[in-house]
Amino acid sequence: MSDASTIIKAALAAHTMEQAMAVQAMITKAVGATYQRPIGDRWNNIGLLTRVGNTDHKLLENVTNAQDAVLELIALQKFGSPDAVPYTTPHEAAGALLGHLPWQQAAQLVTVELHESNPPARKSGRLTAIFKDAGVGMAPGYLSQSIFYLGSSHKGKAAWQQGAFGLGGASTFRHADAVSIVTRRHPDVLGPGEEDRIAVAVCIWEEFDKGSGIYYLTTKDWADGNNPTAEPWSALASACPDVAPGTHLALIAYQPDRAHNAAWGGEFSFERMLNTRLFETVIPVRIDNRISPKAHPQNYRGLKRQFEENPRVDRKEVEETMPFMLGGNTHHLPVSAYYFEAGPRADVGGKRNFVNPEHALMFVSNGQVHHHWKPAALRMTELRHIADRLLVVIDLDDVPIRTRTHLFPPDRQGFVDLPDTRRLEQQVIEFLNDWDELVDFDRQVLRKAIAGDRNGRPTINIARQIGRALKFKGGFRFTGTNSNGNGSSRKRRNKLAKADLYPDPTTIEGPANINVEQGQTRFVRY
């Protein structure tokens, strides 16, 4: 085995800090000197890498980067240039480029492996997450302009790709003790005279007198920025021909929030989190969890398709459209709500068996969750009795991508604090409070809860319990009538009855007058 092949195979097998250091020592020996180049070309780069947010969720940035790499390769093979790609969304591109493949086969193109790093993971709180794609790959000199750049405009004009901020490294490297990358540019997209090479970069943290930073080794002296051509070690692909084109990224001794401590497929497992947050994933993903002893490789394609293809009588889905004005234009946002019934079947069909428990309401862009509410937030609405059984999904894709991108921070974990995002969340609360089907579900749960264990109590005590639970401004609202004559102080929308529809209706029923406030949205049912 040649020295080059040894380095490449050692980098692919690195799961621990000791193994990562050993690969760096091999590179130093092969180069004959130690040349360091910091990530982002800044020595004290910890400030550029530090990001708040859930470290489990951050791992999905590397998954979407891998999906983009696969789409980019097939698009370039078909159209020759990124500018010639005609697709306007990632799902459109995936459907056109990969739609001929069975989804189980498409899942082989993007895989995630979870390994022990400092075993056992439950005690150390760390694991090694490896992301592999059969995508376009990167040439040695391109690493410093992409994943090591800490912000890139590479995907800024590609509406058919998910990446927008170029922060796949910035959002995850900070939480790993080391990072190992092995990448090979696909021969079909090499430029004229460009060699088919396999690049290896192992990133290690270093402490300074004031601060710290993460660096990788190069084959030339970076000279504090005076030599931008300094690039990671690489070898001709012929030195290790069994390494396929694409990228292998290992986050070694990564510190997740919960994934290290969750049983395979459990509520807080990586699998459940990915299937929830990649609600309508662009490309299916294969996960090989080698930490949990009972785990086996499995393909995931997002909860939306799972729900569509596996309907259940104890799970109900209702849909509506919520208008929202942004930038002077009214956008019609599809809203889906999944209600999971309780009872004997809940052990199999309950929400906790499908959805990550931290997610009760999700704002989705390109099929991926960018902001979510926990059940506690949903209890602030009138749906507080079913907050643990409800999943609401708000699709923002009707908003143009340029406008939509400004609503989220680079790590796509929450909203940017803007008047528009605050107004959107407030409008969602009002919309949910006025959604008759969901309010009915909530009232049914409350009725059962009150009547369930109190049949032997005096009627007056039951009435007092109901009154305490349901009083709302105007008072008692469970039974009896009020000014609306329907037992509710809230004016409920008339449900659409089943009827024949005519192309030229002669009657429209609805309020004769409504009061509106400029800049605000009112919901009116006719």
Side-chain angles (χ1 to χ4, degrees):
M1 183 182 296
S2 68
D3 291 341
S5 178
T6 301
I7 293 174
I8 295 169
K9 290 185 179 297
L12 291 171
H15 299 159
T16 67
M17 188 64 183
E18 292 73 16
Q19 292 169 337
M21 295 292 290
V23 176
Q24 272 213 343
M26 293 180 193
I27 293 175
T28 296
K29 182 179 179 181
V31 173
T34 301
Y35 299 124
Q36 297 180 349
R37 182 171 181 175
I39 297 290
D41 290 346
R42 298 290 186 275
W43 285 116
N44 195 356
N45 52 29
I46 189 170
L48 302 175
L49 292 160
T50 301
R51 304 266 176 203
V52 298
N54 187 297
T55 53
D56 288 353
H57 300 170
K58 291 180 181 183
L59 291 172
L60 296 184
E61 189 70 20
N62 299 117
V63 176
T64 56
N65 285 348
Q67 292 172 330
D68 281 348
V70 171
L71 290 182
E72 184 174 356
L73 171 62
I74 303 175
L76 292 177
Q77 288 173 327
K78 184 174 182 177
F79 298 102
S81 167
D83 296 332
V85 179
Y87 311 119
T88 58
T89 70
H91 284 97
E92 181 187 0
L97 300 173
L98 296 171
H100 63 287
L101 294 177
W103 72 271
Q104 296 88 345
Q105 185 176 344
Q108 310 300 316
L109 303 175
V110 177
T111 63
V112 181
E113 295 179 2
L114 302 180
H115 294 262
E116 296 277 11
S117 59
N118 306 98
R122 286 177 177 268
K123 291 186 177 180
S124 67
R126 293 184 177 270
L127 53 80
T128 291
I130 299 177
F131 306 85
K132 301 178 181 180
D133 68 70
V136 68
M138 292 176 280
Y142 187 64
L143 281 165
S144 62
Q145 304 173 43
S146 53
I147 194 169
F148 292 163
Y149 189 74
L150 304 185
S152 171
S153 60
H154 171 54
K155 300 174 189 173
K157 298 180 181 179
W160 49 276
Q161 291 184 301
Q162 299 169 89
F165 303 103
L167 293 176
S171 60
T172 55
F173 288 4
R174 177 65 183 89
H175 308 286
D177 286 350
V179 180
S180 175
I181 296 178
V182 180
T183 183
R184 177 187 173 191
R185 186 76 168 168
H186 198 285
D188 289 352
V189 295
L190 290 174
E194 190 175 3
E195 294 181 320
D196 183 3
R197 303 187 70 85
I198 300 172
V200 175
V202 176
C203 309
I204 302 291
W205 287 92
E206 184 177 31
E207 296 291 334
F208 308 127
D209 290 338
K210 295 183 178 180
S212 60
I214 186 170
Y215 70 91
Y216 58 100
L217 299 181
T218 58
T219 56
K220 302 177 184 177
D221 188 1
W222 180 62
D224 287 332
N226 293 318
N227 182 17
T229 63
E231 60 186 40
W233 178 90
S234 65
L236 290 172
S238 57
C240 202
D242 54 341
V243 175
T247 298
H248 167 109
L249 168 65
L251 300 173
I252 297 172
Y254 184 86
Q255 187 171 20
D257 274 29
R258 289 178 177 265
H260 65 285
N261 200 32
W264 172 70
E267 287 185 288
F268 291 99
S269 66
F270 178 78
E271 294 86 356
R272 185 73 60 82
M273 184 270 297
L274 179 142
N275 211 38
T276 299
R277 292 189 67 83
L278 295 187
F279 183 72
E280 187 180 5
T281 186
V282 171
I283 300 176
V285 180
R286 185 169 182 81
I287 301 179
D288 186 359
N289 187 335
R290 302 187 184 182
I291 296 176
S292 297
K294 296 182 179 180
H296 57 82
Q298 191 163 333
N299 304 324
Y300 295 85
R301 59 190 316 206
L303 279 179
K304 180 175 181 178
R305 293 187 180 95
Q306 183 177 351
F307 289 158
E308 289 174 348
E309 297 176 2
N310 300 277
R312 298 182 60 91
V313 295
D314 52 359
R315 182 178 67 240
K316 296 180 174 64
E317 179 182 356
V318 291
E319 297 179 346
E320 273 282 10
T321 300
M322 186 184 78
F324 180 67
M325 181 174 288
L326 187 64
N329 298 311
T330 299
H331 304 283
H332 298 86
L333 309 180
V335 184
S336 301
Y338 302 86
Y339 171 63
F340 301 80
E341 291 184 354
R345 289 187 296 264
D347 290 338
V348 177
K351 179 184 174 183
R352 60 188 175 87
N353 294 302
F354 298 94
V355 185
N356 179 284
E358 294 185 335
H359 295 73
L361 184 144
M362 309 189 304
F363 295 87
V364 174
S365 172
N366 284 331
Q368 179 183 358
V369 176
H370 283 51
H371 176 45
H372 73 281
W373 294 358
K374 296 181 179 181
L378 200 58
R379 293 190 190 99
M380 302 301 292
T381 70
E382 290 191 30
L383 308 177
R384 54 190 176 276
H385 303 104
I386 59 172
D388 293 324
R389 302 188 197 174
L390 196 63
L391 177 66
V392 179
V393 182
I394 301 173
D395 192 332
L396 300 175
D397 286 356
D398 191 61
V399 180
I401 185 65
R402 285 192 176 187
T403 304
R404 201 188 323 155
T405 301
H406 293 295
L407 302 178
F408 310 107
D411 59 4
R412 294 188 269 202
Q413 294 195 56
F415 277 144
V416 176
D417 188 13
L418 299 170
D420 285 333
T421 55
R422 292 194 296 268
R423 182 168 54 86
L424 173 58
E425 294 200 273
Q426 182 59 41
Q427 184 168 313
V428 167
I429 294 174
E430 297 171 2
F431 182 82
L432 295 177
N433 288 341
D434 199 43
W435 195 339
D436 287 339
E437 289 86 352
L438 299 187
V439 174
D440 286 343
F441 291 151
D442 189 86
R443 297 297 168 244
Q444 291 169 14
V445 170
L446 185 57
R447 289 187 184 99
K448 292 179 181 178
I450 292 175
D453 299 325
R454 297 180 173 85
N455 290 332
R457 296 183 60 188
T459 303
I460 186 62
N461 289 338
I462 295 177
R464 288 170 178 167
Q465 172 66 18
I466 295 173
R468 285 194 298 269
L470 294 174
K471 66 180 180 179
F472 174 76
K473 294 185 179 179
F476 199 58
R477 61 177 302 196
F478 187 79
T479 60
T481 61
N482 57 17
S483 59
N484 295 325
N486 63 3
S488 173
S489 61
R490 177 178 62 90
K491 185 175 180 179
R492 296 173 60 105
R493 301 185 302 183
N494 295 323
K495 293 184 179 180
L496 295 178
K498 294 182 179 179
D500 294 329
L501 301 179
Y502 298 94
D504 187 19
T506 57
T507 301
I508 297 178
E509 295 182 357
N513 299 287
I514 57 174
N515 295 322
V516 297
E517 182 179 347
Q518 186 174 0
Q520 300 297 320
T521 302
R522 281 291 304 275
F523 300 100
V524 182
R525 175 64 65 90
Y526 285 92

